[in-house]
PDB file of all heavy atoms in Angstrom:
ATOM      1  N   ALA A  84      11.519  17.453   0.823  1.00  0.00           N
ATOM      2  CA  ALA A  84      11.977  17.752   2.179  1.00  0.00           C
ATOM      3  C   ALA A  84      12.373  16.487   2.919  1.00  0.00           C
ATOM      4  O   ALA A  84      13.045  16.547   3.955  1.00  0.00           O
ATOM      5  CB  ALA A  84      10.873  18.486   2.940  1.00  0.00           C
ATOM      6  N   GLY A  85      11.978  15.345   2.406  1.00  0.00           N
ATOM      7  CA  GLY A  85      12.322  14.056   3.007  1.00  0.00           C
ATOM      8  C   GLY A  85      11.830  12.952   2.106  1.00  0.00           C
ATOM      9  O   GLY A  85      10.894  13.133   1.323  1.00  0.00           O
ATOM     10  N   ILE A  86      12.461  11.769   2.215  1.00  0.00           N
ATOM     11  CA  ILE A  86      12.082  10.631   1.378  1.00  0.00           C
ATOM     12  C   ILE A  86      11.964   9.394   2.265  1.00  0.00           C
ATOM     13  O   ILE A  86      12.772   9.187   3.176  1.00  0.00           O
ATOM     14  CB  ILE A  86      13.108  10.393   0.246  1.00  0.00           C
ATOM     15  CG1 ILE A  86      12.680   9.241  -0.662  1.00  0.00           C
ATOM     16  CG2 ILE A  86      14.489  10.165   0.805  1.00  0.00           C
ATOM     17  CD1 ILE A  86      11.631   9.628  -1.648  1.00  0.00           C
ATOM     18  N   PHE A  87      10.925   8.589   2.013  1.00  0.00           N
ATOM     19  CA  PHE A  87      10.697   7.355   2.777  1.00  0.00           C
ATOM     20  C   PHE A  87      10.343   6.258   1.787  1.00  0.00           C
ATOM     21  O   PHE A  87       9.563   6.474   0.857  1.00  0.00           O
ATOM     22  CB  PHE A  87       9.550   7.541   3.767  1.00  0.00           C
ATOM     23  CG  PHE A  87       9.329   6.371   4.702  1.00  0.00           C
ATOM     24  CD1 PHE A  87       9.921   6.370   5.961  1.00  0.00           C
ATOM     25  CD2 PHE A  87       8.537   5.296   4.337  1.00  0.00           C
ATOM     26  CE1 PHE A  87       9.721   5.294   6.830  1.00  0.00           C
ATOM     27  CE2 PHE A  87       8.330   4.225   5.192  1.00  0.00           C
ATOM     28  CZ  PHE A  87       8.930   4.228   6.445  1.00  0.00           C
ATOM     29  N   LYS A  88      10.923   5.068   1.975  1.00  0.00           N
ATOM     30  CA  LYS A  88      10.631   3.934   1.094  1.00  0.00           C
ATOM     31  C   LYS A  88       9.733   2.943   1.834  1.00  0.00           C
ATOM     32  O   LYS A  88      10.144   2.328   2.803  1.00  0.00           O
ATOM     33  CB  LYS A  88      11.923   3.237   0.665  1.00  0.00           C
ATOM     34  CG  LYS A  88      11.700   2.029  -0.230  1.00  0.00           C
ATOM     35  CD  LYS A  88      11.128   2.421  -1.568  1.00  0.00           C
ATOM     36  CE  LYS A  88      10.806   1.205  -2.426  1.00  0.00           C
ATOM     37  NZ  LYS A  88       9.561   0.528  -2.013  1.00  0.00           N
ATOM     38  N   LYS A  89       8.491   2.826   1.366  1.00  0.00           N
ATOM     39  CA  LYS A  89       7.550   1.873   1.964  1.00  0.00           C
ATOM     40  C   LYS A  89       7.774   0.490   1.369  1.00  0.00           C
ATOM     41  O   LYS A  89       7.871   0.329   0.154  1.00  0.00           O
ATOM     42  CB  LYS A  89       6.113   2.330   1.677  1.00  0.00           C
ATOM     43  CG  LYS A  89       5.023   1.287   1.946  1.00  0.00           C
ATOM     44  CD  LYS A  89       4.820   1.044   3.430  1.00  0.00           C
ATOM     45  CE  LYS A  89       3.546   0.251   3.696  1.00  0.00           C
ATOM     46  NZ  LYS A  89       3.616  -1.158   3.234  1.00  0.00           N
ATOM     47  N   VAL A  90       7.858  -0.512   2.236  1.00  0.00           N
ATOM     48  CA  VAL A  90       7.956  -1.905   1.790  1.00  0.00           C
ATOM     49  C   VAL A  90       6.846  -2.695   2.459  1.00  0.00           C
ATOM     50  O   VAL A  90       6.202  -2.243   3.408  1.00  0.00           O
ATOM     51  CB  VAL A  90       9.328  -2.525   2.124  1.00  0.00           C
ATOM     52  CG1 VAL A  90      10.463  -1.666   1.579  1.00  0.00           C
ATOM     53  CG2 VAL A  90       9.497  -2.726   3.632  1.00  0.00           C
ATOM     54  N   ASP A  91       6.617  -3.889   1.974  1.00  0.00           N
ATOM     55  CA  ASP A  91       5.613  -4.750   2.574  1.00  0.00           C
ATOM     56  C   ASP A  91       6.019  -5.086   4.007  1.00  0.00           C
ATOM     57  O   ASP A  91       7.192  -5.383   4.288  1.00  0.00           O
ATOM     58  CB  ASP A  91       5.482  -6.031   1.752  1.00  0.00           C
ATOM     59  CG  ASP A  91       4.478  -6.986   2.350  1.00  0.00           C
ATOM     60  OD1 ASP A  91       3.318  -6.587   2.537  1.00  0.00           O
ATOM     61  OD2 ASP A  91       4.859  -8.136   2.655  1.00  0.00           O
ATOM     62  N   SER A  92       5.050  -5.081   4.905  1.00  0.00           N
ATOM     63  CA  SER A  92       5.379  -5.256   6.324  1.00  0.00           C
ATOM     64  C   SER A  92       5.913  -6.647   6.639  1.00  0.00           C
ATOM     65  O   SER A  92       6.591  -6.832   7.654  1.00  0.00           O
ATOM     66  CB  SER A  92       4.155  -4.959   7.199  1.00  0.00           C
ATOM     67  OG  SER A  92       3.119  -5.876   6.938  1.00  0.00           O
ATOM     68  N   VAL A  93       5.624  -7.648   5.797  1.00  0.00           N
ATOM     69  CA  VAL A  93       6.188  -8.982   6.021  1.00  0.00           C
ATOM     70  C   VAL A  93       7.208  -9.333   4.937  1.00  0.00           C
ATOM     71  O   VAL A  93       7.499 -10.503   4.685  1.00  0.00           O
ATOM     72  CB  VAL A  93       5.095 -10.066   6.131  1.00  0.00           C
ATOM     73  CG1 VAL A  93       4.249  -9.839   7.370  1.00  0.00           C
ATOM     74  CG2 VAL A  93       4.223 -10.111   4.889  1.00  0.00           C
ATOM     75  N   LEU A  94       7.738  -8.302   4.282  1.00  0.00           N
ATOM     76  CA  LEU A  94       8.898  -8.419   3.390  1.00  0.00           C
ATOM     77  C   LEU A  94       8.628  -9.229   2.127  1.00  0.00           C
ATOM     78  O   LEU A  94       9.523  -9.887   1.602  1.00  0.00           O
ATOM     79  CB  LEU A  94      10.095  -9.006   4.165  1.00  0.00           C
ATOM     80  CG  LEU A  94      10.566  -8.143   5.342  1.00  0.00           C
ATOM     81  CD1 LEU A  94      11.616  -8.897   6.154  1.00  0.00           C
ATOM     82  CD2 LEU A  94      11.116  -6.824   4.851  1.00  0.00           C
ATOM     83  N   ARG A  95       7.406  -9.154   1.611  1.00  0.00           N
ATOM     84  CA  ARG A  95       7.131  -9.783   0.316  1.00  0.00           C
ATOM     85  C   ARG A  95       7.636  -8.878  -0.806  1.00  0.00           C
ATOM     86  O   ARG A  95       7.598  -7.656  -0.697  1.00  0.00           O
ATOM     87  CB  ARG A  95       5.630 -10.038   0.160  1.00  0.00           C
ATOM     88  CG  ARG A  95       5.084 -11.107   1.086  1.00  0.00           C
ATOM     89  CD  ARG A  95       3.574 -11.189   1.043  1.00  0.00           C
ATOM     90  NE  ARG A  95       2.961  -9.984   1.586  1.00  0.00           N
ATOM     91  CZ  ARG A  95       1.643  -9.824   1.740  1.00  0.00           C
ATOM     92  NH1 ARG A  95       0.813 -10.793   1.377  1.00  0.00           N
ATOM     93  NH2 ARG A  95       1.165  -8.707   2.246  1.00  0.00           N
ATOM     94  N   GLY A  96       8.073  -9.492  -1.890  1.00  0.00           N
ATOM     95  CA  GLY A  96       8.536  -8.728  -3.041  1.00  0.00           C
ATOM     96  C   GLY A  96      10.035  -8.488  -3.014  1.00  0.00           C
ATOM     97  O   GLY A  96      10.733  -8.887  -2.075  1.00  0.00           O
ATOM     98  N   PRO A  97      10.571  -7.823  -4.053  1.00  0.00           N
ATOM     99  CA  PRO A  97      12.021  -7.570  -4.152  1.00  0.00           C
ATOM    100  C   PRO A  97      12.443  -6.386  -3.275  1.00  0.00           C
ATOM    101  O   PRO A  97      12.844  -5.330  -3.761  1.00  0.00           O
ATOM    102  CB  PRO A  97      12.214  -7.286  -5.644  1.00  0.00           C
ATOM    103  CG  PRO A  97      10.917  -6.699  -6.086  1.00  0.00           C
ATOM    104  CD  PRO A  97       9.857  -7.389  -5.277  1.00  0.00           C
ATOM    105  N   VAL A  98      12.342  -6.569  -1.970  1.00  0.00           N
ATOM    106  CA  VAL A  98      12.531  -5.481  -1.008  1.00  0.00           C
ATOM    107  C   VAL A  98      13.923  -4.858  -1.108  1.00  0.00           C
ATOM    108  O   VAL A  98      14.076  -3.638  -1.183  1.00  0.00           O
ATOM    109  CB  VAL A  98      12.263  -5.989   0.428  1.00  0.00           C
ATOM    110  CG1 VAL A  98      12.642  -4.922   1.453  1.00  0.00           C
ATOM    111  CG2 VAL A  98      10.802  -6.379   0.574  1.00  0.00           C
ATOM    112  N   ILE A  99      14.960  -5.699  -1.090  1.00  0.00           N
ATOM    113  CA  ILE A  99      16.325  -5.168  -1.094  1.00  0.00           C
ATOM    114  C   ILE A  99      16.614  -4.416  -2.387  1.00  0.00           C
ATOM    115  O   ILE A  99      17.183  -3.313  -2.369  1.00  0.00           O
ATOM    116  CB  ILE A  99      17.344  -6.309  -0.887  1.00  0.00           C
ATOM    117  CG1 ILE A  99      17.234  -6.858   0.536  1.00  0.00           C
ATOM    118  CG2 ILE A  99      18.764  -5.803  -1.143  1.00  0.00           C
ATOM    119  CD1 ILE A  99      18.200  -7.998   0.819  1.00  0.00           C
ATOM    120  N   ALA A 100      16.213  -4.971  -3.515  1.00  0.00           N
ATOM    121  CA  ALA A 100      16.473  -4.321  -4.809  1.00  0.00           C
ATOM    122  C   ALA A 100      15.829  -2.946  -4.865  1.00  0.00           C
ATOM    123  O   ALA A 100      16.435  -1.975  -5.348  1.00  0.00           O
ATOM    124  CB  ALA A 100      15.956  -5.201  -5.941  1.00  0.00           C
ATOM    125  N   GLU A 101      14.613  -2.833  -4.358  1.00  0.00           N
ATOM    126  CA  GLU A 101      13.913  -1.549  -4.391  1.00  0.00           C
ATOM    127  C   GLU A 101      14.580  -0.529  -3.460  1.00  0.00           C
ATOM    128  O   GLU A 101      14.800   0.629  -3.836  1.00  0.00           O
ATOM    129  CB  GLU A 101      12.454  -1.737  -3.997  1.00  0.00           C
ATOM    130  CG  GLU A 101      11.640  -2.501  -5.016  1.00  0.00           C
ATOM    131  CD  GLU A 101      10.159  -2.411  -4.747  1.00  0.00           C
ATOM    132  OE1 GLU A 101       9.703  -1.353  -4.254  1.00  0.00           O
ATOM    133  OE2 GLU A 101       9.436  -3.383  -5.025  1.00  0.00           O
ATOM    134  N   ALA A 102      14.879  -0.947  -2.247  1.00  0.00           N
ATOM    135  CA  ALA A 102      15.477  -0.022  -1.274  1.00  0.00           C
ATOM    136  C   ALA A 102      16.844   0.457  -1.747  1.00  0.00           C
ATOM    137  O   ALA A 102      17.171   1.650  -1.647  1.00  0.00           O
ATOM    138  CB  ALA A 102      15.581  -0.697   0.092  1.00  0.00           C
ATOM    139  N   GLU A 103      17.642  -0.463  -2.269  1.00  0.00           N
ATOM    140  CA  GLU A 103      18.975  -0.072  -2.731  1.00  0.00           C
ATOM    141  C   GLU A 103      18.909   0.828  -3.956  1.00  0.00           C
ATOM    142  O   GLU A 103      19.736   1.750  -4.104  1.00  0.00           O
ATOM    143  CB  GLU A 103      19.804  -1.324  -3.022  1.00  0.00           C
ATOM    144  CG  GLU A 103      20.184  -2.087  -1.752  1.00  0.00           C
ATOM    145  CD  GLU A 103      21.037  -3.312  -2.025  1.00  0.00           C
ATOM    146  OE1 GLU A 103      21.057  -3.775  -3.187  1.00  0.00           O
ATOM    147  OE2 GLU A 103      21.685  -3.808  -1.076  1.00  0.00           O
TER     148      GLU A 103
END
Side-chain angles (χ1 to χ4, degrees):
I86 182 79
F87 186 94
K88 179 66 184 77
K89 166 71 167 69
V90 306
D91 178 56
S92 64
V93 294
L94 298 172
R95 291 172 293 184
V98 172
I99 291 180
E101 291 192 34
E103 290 182 342

